[in-house]
Amino acid sequence: MVQAEAHFPARQDVSAPHCILAPDGTIAAGVTPTLSGSDLADAMELMLLTRMFDDKAMRLQRQGRFGTFSQVRGQEAAVTGSAAALDPSRDWVVPQYRELPALLRQGFPLEHFILYFLGDPRGAEVPQGVRCLPLNIALASQLPHAVGLAWGLRRQDQDGVVLAYFGDGASSEGDAHEAMNLAGILKAPVVFLLSNNGWAISTPRSKQSAATSLAARAPGYGMPGILVDGNDLLAVHQVTAEAVARARAGDGPTLIEAITYRVGPHNTADDPSRYVDPAERDSWLGRDPISRVEQYLTTCGLWSKSIAAAVEERNRETVDGALAAAASRGAPTADLLFDHLYADAPARIRRQRSEFTGQGR
Amino acid sequence: MVQAEAHFPARQDVSAPHCILAPDGTIAAGVTPTLSGSDLADAMELMLLTRMFDDKAMRLQRQGRFGTFSQVRGQEAAVTGSAAALDPSRDWVVPQYRELPALLRQGFPLEHFILYFLGDPRGAEVPQGVRCLPLNIALASQLPHAVGLAWGLRRQDQDGVVLAYFGDGASSEGDAHEAMNLAGILKAPVVFLLSNNGWAISTPRSKQSAATSLAARAPGYGMPGILVDGNDLLAVHQVTAEAVARARAGDGPTLIEAITYRVGPHNTADDPSRYVDPAERDSWLGRDPISRVEQYLTTCGLWSKSIAAAVEERNRETVDGALAAAASRGAPTADLLFDHLYADAPARIRRQRSEFTGQGR
Amino acid sequence: MPIMTMLDAIREALTMEMERDERVMVLGQDVGRLGGVFRATDGLQDRFGEQRVVDMPLAEAVIAGSALGLAISGLIPVVEMQFLGFSHQAFHQIGPHIARMRYRSQGRFRVPLTIRAPFGGLVRTPEHHCDAYEAQFAQFPGLKIVMPATAYDAKGLLLASIRDEDPVLFCEPLRGYRLIKGEVPSEDYTVPLGKARIACEGEDVTIIAWSAMVQTAERAAAVLAEEGISAHVLDLRSLVPLDVEGIVAAVERTGRVVIAHEAPLTAGFGAEIVATINDEVFYRLEAPVVRVTAPDTPYPLAGVEDFYVPGVDRLVAAARDLARMAA
Amino acid sequence: MPIMTMLDAIREALTMEMERDERVMVLGQDVGRLGGVFRATDGLQDRFGEQRVVDMPLAEAVIAGSALGLAISGLIPVVEMQFLGFSHQAFHQIGPHIARMRYRSQGRFRVPLTIRAPFGGLVRTPEHHCDAYEAQFAQFPGLKIVMPATAYDAKGLLLASIRDEDPVLFCEPLRGYRLIKGEVPSEDYTVPLGKARIACEGEDVTIIAWSAMVQTAERAAAVLAEEGISAHVLDLRSLVPLDVEGIVAAVERTGRVVIAHEAPLTAGFGAEIVATINDEVFYRLEAPVVRVTAPDTPYPLAGVEDFYVPGVDRLVAAARDLARMAA
Ligand SMILES: Cc1ncc(C[n+]2csc(CCOP(=O)(O)OP(=O)(O)O)c2C)c(N)n1
Ligand SMILES: Cc1ncc(C[n+]2csc(CCOP(=O)(O)OP(=O)(O)O)c2C)c(N)n1
Ligand SMILES: [Mg+2]
Ligand SMILES: [Mg+2]
């Protein structure tokens, strides 16, 4: 049903999304993965980093020391594998809110991510040189931005590509339609990465659309649609790298649907026991995206207990360092209501700033 | 590319939409049209009526005696053929603004249509028992209403079907996506009739979407998509009748793309000479939907000069009668700002009513 | 009488009305199995079935727009917008269509539709979850806007809203869901739309507020009382219809007025109240009306929201200054 | 100096700025080959090419939202919303994203984006084409709202808006496109945002207006002058930033104020001006401020729009009553 253009590998079987690395960590003989060597090791380290961070932040949240946030747990391969296909020195990431690995790979500081979820506006700062847009809570509204950004790069003869993330829930929004349709018209260099994790809070994918696959939307926008096993780092990387190459070559956008699963709660405020079938969840725990890579790396001789320990050590330093850096920033002040709202604030705002920063509540 | 469900006739070749009545008025041997006899004659009469009205209203508009409006000229078969598949005693029409034949067939008074375009709010009244929603100017916003209405009928165990019209332009709006997706989920008894007339004001279909066909959107909503020659009354009727039957049987919605052409200006304020290629327009004039039926009816012995004269006479009476009735309503008053806004107007509105109706401008 | 949270009162109203009138349907994101992200619809799907309590796809425009179609078909939809902030995605449906369909069809189609939408700050939610956009909706003729501040009113106003023949935007204060509690009769009762409530009687200065800000005003009144200043608190309950008589009476009583709201100052609904007072009771003002509002900046991240939402201190300071001002 | 219509002045500003700065792009429905449904962009595509003058699909949210992306990439988009009424389809992009992206990225992304949108009545257009929704946008912190009333200002304010580092909603009066004419210098000039203009000096009563309503106010002033009443007309030019000093000076001058706008009364921007006057210059008022506005009903079909939009008569009557009132 999903029809790809002739020159583009067709992977359109909804029942069996494209897969390279089987759940048992083996790959078919004769297949050469597009992600290997130190790039693969880096991707593994990044997935472990965000897994560690997810755990840590959840613990802190339970103690009231971190804000409401959404873990990427279980979806690391979909996010990391796709982001690893980018060149952060020219390509952009446009996130929803569940894509920490992609942000980190682009160079967005973990410290900012932490500050943001501590409720500090300074955490929203996208540092100069980091090619990503801010976290986006209003679902699908980031997709028009992504298309415009990609269009603007092309207009200015830059060869960057934009990788835009959205969820199965977000795919139902009008903005998703309008953005994909415009991207098709403009042949904008954008890759739409739809993380189909089975849920939008408590709403299952089956209630989100009667379409057999969401990638089936692509022909309606004149672009190829690809289904991929979202828990297979190598497959996600491969299809994204191909889509990025097409986009860079001026051949237009691609819609990639990565089939994955949200193994945890929607966010720290959610109680999935009210609506998730534990058997379904457990079956997905058995398809963990990280252990698959671990087994494969081990087979390749690139992973061992000692390497794992060193990685864990580095990651712990990163997490602890970022938490410490965020903590050291000091409490946010009322000035942060006003900073960066206008280039040149009107008089009324300037007056309000002096009133509001002169007093607390 | 457009994939229909197994039990539904597949007519998915974009280059050759489904056609029964050839431009020369012949039909293939052995085909039994679904529209015939007096129903076919009625449809012909209706198309001639709105053609006559289009001409008349355009002349009046040029004299400043009618408001800005959009003719259905050249698209009569797409609108009439689809509406003729409905049972007005239980089915509904949800119009955009270019579907006069469908409104009339449902029983909406031509007098009201005239009043509306004279700027009289009383023309907006949908009489009791007439199953259509008001004309809709805000593009695609009628589609969510259509889905809700269809859903509501089903919920109340009524077997009505909703036929919702929209244009190739409107298909780009987020509302079109959200509505079709919801209809698919609910299996709502609604038929989406996309009149692809090649233009959205000056914007050609090619700039509206990179999709080869707009019917290709249907699989993305889990519904069948059908391409039909929109200037072929019989083919439009057939595919709509099938879609209505499916909807009535509880098998869900259908998207029908009727390929037609806007042979006139977008509306009376438009100057298409700025953007339309006259050769393209002329080629479509040669595919007129009415003369095709005329030739066919003649062959069948159901049309003749005298029948044509009688029909013209009846239609002229209808048009003149409606114009006279509209003219006899008297000038609209300031009360019409307030009538029917609330069931029970708040005090502030009641006060404003007395202020505004006490004085003119 | 049972003591209930505002959330329980809302759920009770929904339950009672679904029980009483089988045309009533509840639809929205996550309202079914989950019972809504705040549990306002908890248990409704078990009780009334999947046909009447419907989990909708993530698409606000069609949630609102299809509810309009349901109303036209003869049903009585109660929509839950997960947050008022996301009603912007349905803005073009709510104002130009839902609020106008009766007018646009010249009375043929009634639209007894209610949109429930939580809003308001101080509960550490993410972006767009707190914004108080009520004034934007007040420019939509045909739409009523209801703003309960107590558990009692939440039930009575919601029942009145659902039964109203015209569309109602029913805004629920997020921070009041569990914190605002009060006596709520278990029987069926309605509170009329368009009638303000005197939350607290006083003689020196009037504080006009709605939704959760009424509680802040009551706390401010308590602080002011200790200082010997008697504050009169008027809870508007609905912005449209606006209880102009109730406002006039409250202004006449004290001659000094503070208006408090969570939305930014400029073009907030406070401006309309100042203008209404100017229109109706100007000569009884002993001092300019004072608006205590958020600044003209976006609702910020949680770490600085305490600076943003007007608190007791700012209300007290404004009321005190007014009360002490020579007439 | 050449005499130009407002429409020509707008086109000239667009042309000059596209000539001067090649980052400037124009995008919207039918802006290319057709030159816009009102011809504001006529000839631009021929001159600057299809890359810089772009016909967009019929989808307002992505027109606005992709323009934000263009701005982030370093370009300067000028969007034409075919009608302000359809900006509701993009409301969730304009307020929560375009107006906030600078803030949301803590200064990283500048948004020098202008949205041009015609609005306003009395030109016999269909539904949703005339509605004056400016007050709804005034609740979006970060967005400037510009409202030219003359051909001179249309050019100078549009150049200033496009050059502004922050997003601007530039509202153009439909009935002024061809009817409003005036001297327009052919050179490059800007009119600063946030500075009101005295359209007509007077001593007895001040009329505050914006956009096409300024012309109605000037006509009313002429009628009043015949009656011996001297009206002062203040053209706000922009609602955000609001020229509070200019308003204060105008109120101080006459002590009596009429505010005129095409939008409905309740929560219209007139309310903010009453409230601002109340805040800043209350004690100089000799009488309550009077709002002359549309009623709280939807913009109607053309046959009754003359009853709806405030006309010279209603302005004259209001100003006359005020001027004759004892202080
Ligand atoms: C426009 C909008 N509507 C509603 C919400 C509330 N909400 C937050 S997350 C969420 C579910 C999102 O599902 P999906 O897009 O699949 O992303 P996931 O959380 O599964 O990664 C909802 C409804 C929102 N943030 N934005
Ligand atoms: C939401 C919205 N945006 C813009 C317009 C202005 N407009 C009126 S008709 C039109 C083109 C419609 O094209 P299409 O849907 O193909 O219908 P057609 O006129 O061809 O029948 C446009 C842009 C509108 N009415 N509504
Ligand atoms: Mg999801
Ligand atoms: Mg069209």
Side-chain angles (χ1 to χ4, degrees):
Chain A
M1 204 179 258
V2 185
Q3 184 91 24
E5 287 174 23
H7 66 282
F8 199 60
R11 303 187 179 83
Q12 60 266 51
D13 184 353
V14 178
S15 55
H18 180 59
C19 178
I20 293 179
L21 185 60
D24 66 2
T26 57
I27 68 176
V31 173
T32 316
T34 52
L35 192 64
S36 58
S38 67
D39 290 340
L40 179 56
D42 287 351
M44 177 67 175
E45 184 159 342
L46 183 53
M47 294 198 294
L48 287 166
L49 173 64
T50 63
R51 178 76 55 102
M52 180 188 284
F53 178 80
D54 274 346
D55 289 341
K56 177 85 185 177
M58 181 66 92
R59 278 198 304 278
L60 289 171
Q61 199 280 335
R62 295 293 180 238
Q63 301 160 14
R65 293 162 61 203
F66 203 71
T68 303
F69 87 110
S70 292
Q71 298 183 319
V72 66
R73 168 179 290 275
Q75 304 175 216
E76 290 94 345
V79 179
T80 309
S82 52
L86 298 184
D87 171 358
S89 73
R90 52 181 171 163
D91 299 327
W92 288 74
V93 159
V94 175
Q96 190 159 288
Y97 47 71
R98 204 187 289 282
E99 292 83 16
L100 179 58
L103 296 177
L104 294 178
R105 188 166 183 285
Q106 291 294 106
F108 187 81
L110 182 57
E111 176 198 342
H112 283 207
F113 191 84
I114 293 166
L115 275 172
Y116 182 92
F117 285 103
L118 288 172
D120 188 327
R122 291 170 295 185
E125 188 199 334
V126 182
Q128 285 298 336
V130 174
R131 290 182 178 74
C132 58
L133 297 197
L135 293 186
N136 197 84
I137 303 294
L139 293 159
S141 60
Q142 74 276 20
L143 301 177
H145 313 163
V147 177
L149 174 56
W151 179 15
L153 296 174
R154 179 57 41 110
R155 272 271 288 110
Q156 293 166 91
D157 297 323
Q158 295 170 28
D159 66 355
V161 170
V162 177
L163 176 58
Y165 290 94
F166 65 126
D168 47 316
S171 76
S172 298
E173 287 281 357
D175 278 8
H177 168 70
E178 297 190 11
M180 288 196 275
N181 191 44
L182 178 64
I185 295 167
L186 298 169
K187 281 191 173 282
V190 54
V191 178
F192 296 98
L193 199 301
L194 194 166
S195 296
N196 176 354
N197 64 359
W199 297 99
I201 309 185
S202 75
T203 309
R205 161 65 184 81
S206 59
K207 289 193 176 172
Q208 206 60 249
S209 178
T212 323
S213 103
L214 297 172
R217 303 246 166 96
Y221 308 120
M223 66 172 87
I226 308 291
L227 262 185
V228 65
D229 178 346
N231 284 13
D232 174 348
L233 183 77
L234 300 182
V236 172
H237 181 269
Q238 183 190 0
V239 299
T240 312
E242 288 168 358
V244 167
R246 280 186 76 243
R248 208 178 315 280
D251 294 331
T254 303
L255 169 60
I256 299 172
E257 178 181 358
I259 309 285
T260 178
Y261 196 79
R262 196 196 76 205
V263 295
H266 165 65
N267 65 19
T268 48
D270 182 36
D271 173 12
S273 73
R274 295 177 72 99
Y275 57 83
V276 169
D277 171 3
E280 181 184 279
R281 177 176 175 275
D282 290 348
S283 86
W284 279 91
L285 282 176
R287 296 160 70 178
D288 185 69
I290 297 185
S291 56
R292 223 186 270 199
V293 179
E294 186 179 337
Q295 274 167 286
Y296 173 64
L297 282 173
T298 308
T299 320
C300 300
L302 291 164
W303 198 253
S304 64
K305 281 209 169 140
S306 67
I307 298 176
V311 164
E312 186 169 346
E313 179 60 25
R314 274 201 299 277
N315 282 344
R316 194 172 310 281
E317 273 169 31
T318 304
V319 170
D320 290 346
L323 283 165
S328 75
R329 290 292 285 269
T333 65
D335 274 306
L336 292 165
L337 301 179
F338 298 91
D339 285 350
H340 304 299
L341 179 57
Y342 290 95
D344 182 18
R348 178 171 271 199
I349 311 288
R350 291 199 305 274
R351 189 157 95 178
Q352 290 177 359
R353 180 197 273 262
S354 71
E355 284 164 20
F356 276 79
T357 55
Q359 58 174 104
R361 200 174 152 217
Chain B
M1 204 181 258
V2 184
Q3 184 92 23
E5 287 176 23
H7 66 283
F8 199 60
R11 302 188 180 82
Q12 59 266 52
D13 183 351
V14 179
S15 54
H18 180 58
C19 178
I20 293 178
L21 185 61
D24 65 4
T26 57
I27 67 174
V31 173
T32 316
T34 51
L35 191 64
S36 58
S38 68
D39 290 341
L40 179 56
D42 286 351
M44 177 67 175
E45 186 160 340
L46 183 54
M47 294 198 295
L48 287 166
L49 174 65
T50 63
R51 178 75 56 99
M52 180 187 284
F53 179 80
D54 273 347
D55 289 342
K56 178 84 184 179
M58 181 66 92
R59 280 197 304 278
L60 290 171
Q61 199 280 336
R62 294 294 181 236
Q63 300 159 16
R65 294 162 58 205
F66 202 72
T68 304
F69 86 109
S70 292
Q71 299 183 317
V72 65
R73 169 177 291 274
Q75 304 175 217
E76 290 93 345
V79 179
T80 308
S82 52
L86 298 185
D87 171 359
S89 74
R90 53 180 170 164
D91 297 329
W92 288 75
V93 159
V94 176
Q96 190 158 288
Y97 45 72
R98 204 188 286 283
E99 293 84 15
L100 179 57
L103 296 177
L104 294 178
R105 188 165 184 286
Q106 291 295 105
F108 188 79
L110 182 56
E111 176 198 343
H112 282 208
F113 191 83
I114 293 166
L115 276 173
Y116 182 93
F117 285 103
L118 288 172
D120 188 328
R122 290 170 296 184
E125 188 199 334
V126 181
Q128 285 298 339
V130 173
R131 289 184 181 73
C132 58
L133 297 197
L135 293 184
N136 197 82
I137 303 295
L139 293 159
S141 60
Q142 74 275 21
L143 301 178
H145 312 164
V147 177
L149 173 56
W151 179 15
L153 295 175
R154 179 56 42 110
R155 272 271 289 113
Q156 293 166 90
D157 296 324
Q158 298 170 25
D159 66 355
V161 170
V162 177
L163 175 58
Y165 290 94
F166 64 126
D168 47 317
S171 76
S172 298
E173 288 281 358
D175 278 8
H177 168 70
E178 296 188 12
M180 289 196 276
N181 192 45
L182 179 63
I185 296 167
L186 297 170
K187 282 192 173 282
V190 54
V191 178
F192 297 98
L193 199 299
L194 194 166
S195 295
N196 176 355
N197 65 359
W199 297 98
I201 309 185
S202 75
T203 308
R205 162 62 184 81
S206 59
K207 289 192 177 173
Q208 206 62 247
S209 179
T212 323
S213 104
L214 298 172
R217 303 246 166 96
Y221 308 120
M223 66 173 86
I226 308 291
L227 262 184
V228 64
D229 177 346
N231 284 14
D232 176 348
L233 184 76
L234 301 182
V236 172
H237 181 269
Q238 184 191 1
V239 298
T240 312
E242 287 168 359
V244 167
R246 280 187 75 243
R248 209 179 311 282
D251 293 332
T254 303
L255 170 60
I256 299 173
E257 178 181 359
I259 308 285
T260 178
Y261 196 78
R262 194 195 77 203
V263 295
H266 166 66
N267 64 20
T268 48
D270 182 36
D271 173 11
S273 73
R274 296 176 71 99
Y275 57 84
V276 169
D277 172 3
E280 181 185 279
R281 178 176 175 276
D282 290 349
S283 84
W284 279 92
L285 282 176
R287 295 162 70 178
D288 185 69
I290 297 185
S291 56
R292 221 187 271 198
V293 179
E294 187 179 337
Q295 275 167 287
Y296 173 64
L297 282 174
T298 309
T299 320
C300 300
L302 291 165
W303 197 252
S304 66
K305 280 211 169 138
S306 66
I307 297 177
V311 164
E312 186 169 347
E313 179 59 26
R314 274 202 298 278
N315 281 345
R316 195 172 309 284
E317 273 170 30
T318 304
V319 171
D320 291 346
L323 283 165
S328 75
R329 292 291 287 267
T333 65
D335 273 306
L336 292 165
L337 301 179
F338 298 90
D339 287 350
H340 304 299
L341 179 57
Y342 290 95
D344 181 19
R348 177 171 272 199
I349 311 287
R350 291 199 306 272
R351 187 156 98 178
Q352 291 177 359
R353 181 197 272 261
S354 71
E355 285 164 20
F356 276 78
T357 55
Q359 59 173 102
R361 201 176 150 215
Chain C
M1 237 186 290
I3 299 284
M4 274 191 195
T5 63
M6 184 181 253
L7 188 64
D8 292 335
I10 289 166
R11 193 184 311 107
E12 182 162 289
L14 291 171
T15 311
M16 285 179 66
E17 198 58 6
M18 292 195 78
E19 198 71 66
R20 197 185 73 91
D21 186 341
E22 63 168 32
R23 294 170 304 171
V24 177
M25 282 176 71
V26 164
L27 51 152
Q29 291 156 10
D30 306 297
V31 296
R33 189 103 166 245
L34 183 62
V37 287
F38 297 103
R39 312 291 183 264
T41 58
D42 195 14
L44 294 185
Q45 194 177 65
D46 280 347
R47 182 149 173 187
F48 300 106
E50 294 205 19
Q51 295 299 312
R52 291 183 64 197
V53 181
V54 187
D55 278 325
M56 294 290 279
L58 217 164
E60 288 78 8
V62 82
I63 293 176
S66 68
L68 174 54
L70 287 169
I72 290 170
S73 83
L75 296 172
I76 301 179
V78 181
V79 167
E80 177 172 300
M81 279 283 153
Q82 203 160 74
F83 295 92
L84 183 64
F86 303 124
S87 63
H88 281 165
Q89 268 77 354
F91 208 65
H92 59 292
Q93 285 289 346
I94 297 172
H97 293 282
I98 290 174
R100 291 189 191 178
M101 186 49 89
R102 176 187 283 275
Y103 181 71
R104 293 186 66 243
S105 66
Q106 290 286 294
R108 166 70 187 281
F109 302 119
R110 299 178 325 119
V111 185
L113 185 164
T114 303
I115 300 175
R116 298 177 37 246
F119 81 109
L122 304 183
V123 287
R124 312 286 175 255
T125 59
E127 274 189 285
H128 312 298
H129 288 57
C130 341
D131 299 66
Y133 287 132
E134 64 269 23
Q136 294 177 328
F137 288 94
Q139 273 269 293
F140 280 142
L143 185 69
K144 295 179 180 171
I145 304 177
V146 177
M147 289 277 173
T150 66
Y152 178 93
D153 280 358
K155 178 172 169 186
L157 288 169
L158 183 52
L159 285 171
S161 298
I162 301 175
R163 291 175 195 171
D164 199 283
E165 276 209 45
D166 289 320
V168 175
L169 177 66
F170 188 88
C171 300
E172 303 171 359
L174 271 173
R175 72 173 170 282
Y177 269 156
R178 294 195 166 79
L179 288 182
I180 293 179
K181 290 187 183 126
E183 294 195 334
V184 176
S186 28
E187 52 271 22
D188 184 323
Y189 65 93
T190 57
V191 172
L193 311 187
K195 197 80 206 76
R197 177 182 72 94
I198 296 172
C200 154
E201 303 225 29
E203 308 301 332
D204 299 330
V205 58
T206 294
I207 306 179
I208 301 179
W210 53 90
S211 194
M213 201 52 71
V214 172
Q215 217 183 33
T216 312
E218 288 174 311
R219 291 207 189 115
V223 175
L224 288 162
E226 288 172 24
E227 302 184 13
I229 297 169
S230 156
H232 186 78
V233 176
L234 189 71
D235 167 8
L236 286 185
R237 276 182 174 154
S238 65
L239 307 184
V240 181
L242 186 62
D243 184 358
V244 177
E245 282 174 34
I247 292 172
V248 167
V251 176
E252 283 178 338
R253 186 152 175 167
T254 66
R256 290 146 201 252
V257 184
V258 174
I259 299 166
H261 62 63
E262 292 195 37
L265 179 82
T266 298
F269 199 78
E272 177 56 44
I273 299 170
V274 177
T276 297
I277 291 172
N278 162 91
D279 293 347
E280 307 289 337
V281 65
F282 177 77
Y283 292 104
R284 300 297 291 268
L285 282 180
E286 288 166 22
V289 179
V290 174
R291 291 182 284 170
V292 177
T293 73
D296 285 324
T297 65
Y299 199 99
L301 294 188
V304 290
E305 64 180 346
D306 290 354
F307 298 116
Y308 185 83
V309 177
V312 172
D313 292 359
R314 287 184 60 212
L315 274 181
V316 167
R320 184 195 294 132
D321 288 354
L322 259 185
R324 298 212 174 136
M325 202 179 268
Chain D
M1 239 186 289
I3 300 284
M4 274 191 194
T5 63
M6 185 181 256
L7 188 64
D8 291 335
I10 288 166
R11 193 185 311 107
E12 183 162 289
L14 290 171
T15 312
M16 286 178 66
E17 198 58 6
M18 292 195 78
E19 198 69 68
R20 196 184 72 91
D21 186 340
E22 63 168 33
R23 294 170 303 171
V24 177
M25 283 176 71
V26 164
L27 52 151
Q29 293 157 8
D30 306 296
V31 295
R33 190 101 166 247
L34 183 62
V37 288
F38 297 102
R39 311 290 182 265
T41 58
D42 196 16
L44 293 186
Q45 194 178 64
D46 279 349
R47 184 149 171 186
F48 300 106
E50 295 204 19
Q51 295 299 311
R52 292 183 63 197
V53 181
V54 187
D55 279 325
M56 295 290 278
L58 218 162
E60 288 79 7
V62 81
I63 294 176
S66 68
L68 173 55
L70 287 168
I72 290 170
S73 84
L75 297 170
I76 301 179
V78 181
V79 168
E80 177 173 299
M81 280 281 152
Q82 203 160 75
F83 295 93
L84 183 63
F86 303 124
S87 63
H88 280 166
Q89 268 78 354
F91 208 66
H92 59 291
Q93 284 289 345
I94 296 172
H97 293 282
I98 290 174
R100 292 189 191 178
M101 186 50 89
R102 177 187 282 276
Y103 181 71
R104 293 186 66 243
S105 67
Q106 291 286 294
R108 165 71 187 281
F109 302 118
R110 300 179 325 119
V111 185
L113 185 164
T114 304
I115 300 175
R116 299 177 37 247
F119 81 108
L122 303 182
V123 288
R124 312 284 176 256
T125 58
E127 274 188 284
H128 312 297
H129 287 57
C130 340
D131 300 66
Y133 288 131
E134 65 269 22
Q136 294 177 330
F137 288 93
Q139 273 269 295
F140 280 143
L143 186 69
K144 295 179 180 171
I145 305 177
V146 177
M147 290 275 173
T150 67
Y152 178 93
D153 280 358
K155 177 172 170 186
L157 287 170
L158 183 51
L159 285 171
S161 297
I162 301 175
R163 292 176 196 169
D164 198 282
E165 276 208 46
D166 289 320
V168 175
L169 177 67
F170 188 88
C171 300
E172 303 170 359
L174 270 173
R175 70 174 171 284
Y177 268 157
R178 294 194 165 81
L179 289 180
I180 293 177
K181 291 188 182 123
E183 293 195 334
V184 176
S186 29
E187 51 271 22
D188 185 322
Y189 65 93
T190 57
V191 172
L193 311 187
K195 197 80 206 74
R197 176 181 74 94
I198 297 172
C200 156
E201 302 226 29
E203 309 302 331
D204 299 330
V205 57
T206 294
I207 306 180
I208 300 179
W210 53 92
S211 194
M213 202 51 70
V214 172
Q215 219 183 31
T216 311
E218 288 174 312
R219 292 206 187 112
V223 174
L224 289 162
E226 289 172 23
E227 302 184 12
I229 296 169
S230 157
H232 187 78
V233 177
L234 189 70
D235 166 8
L236 285 185
R237 277 182 171 154
S238 64
L239 307 185
V240 180
L242 185 62
D243 184 358
V244 177
E245 282 174 33
I247 292 172
V248 168
V251 176
E252 284 179 338
R253 187 151 173 168
T254 66
R256 291 145 200 255
V257 185
V258 174
I259 299 166
H261 61 63
E262 293 194 37
L265 178 82
T266 297
F269 199 77
E272 177 56 44
I273 299 170
V274 177
T276 297
I277 291 172
N278 163 91
D279 292 346
E280 305 288 338
V281 65
F282 176 79
Y283 293 102
R284 300 297 292 269
L285 283 179
E286 290 165 20
V289 178
V290 174
R291 290 182 285 170
V292 178
T293 72
D296 284 322
T297 66
Y299 199 98
L301 293 187
V304 290
E305 66 180 345
D306 290 355
F307 298 115
Y308 184 85
V309 178
V312 173
D313 292 359
R314 288 185 60 213
L315 274 182
V316 167
R320 185 196 292 132
D321 287 354
L322 259 186
R324 297 212 173 133
M325 202 178 268

